[in-house]
Amino acid sequence: MEQEFKQGYRIHRILSNLNRLDVDRLNDADRERVETARDLLEEVSLLTQSDDGVEADAHADS
C-alpha cells in the first residue's frame, strides 16, 4: 500500500510542477514536451485509480 501511495504522490507532485511552469516563456518544442508530459501523467493517474478514486496497484504481481 505504501508503494502505491508513493507513486500517486510522485505523479501529483510532477503534475503540480508542470502546471506551475510559465509555458508562455518556453519555445515551441519545450511547450510541446510539457503538454505531452502533462497528458501522459494525467493518463497514468487515471489508470492507477479505482472507480472510487482510490489509488490502485497498476502493476501485476509476479
Side-chain angles (χ1 to χ4, degrees):
M1 182 67 170
E2 184 177 324
Q3 183 66 23
E4 291 87 12
F5 176 77
K6 286 180 183 178
Q7 290 171 346
Y9 176 75
R10 287 182 186 132
I11 290 171
H12 170 75
R13 292 290 301 155
I14 294 167
L15 276 170
S16 293
N17 289 335
L18 286 174
N19 287 332
R20 281 189 275 171
L21 287 175
D22 186 4
V23 292
D24 295 334
R25 300 182 76 191
L26 299 176
N27 63 35
D28 290 339
D30 288 339
R31 188 176 301 128
E32 181 67 28
R33 288 182 190 104
V34 169
E35 289 175 14
T36 300
R38 193 180 299 151
D39 291 344
L40 290 171
L41 286 168
E42 287 173 353
E43 280 184 39
V44 168
S45 181
L46 290 173
L47 290 173
T48 59
Q49 289 184 0
S50 63
D51 290 337
D52 59 2
V54 177
E55 293 287 324
D57 188 3
H59 303 288
D61 293 333
S62 22

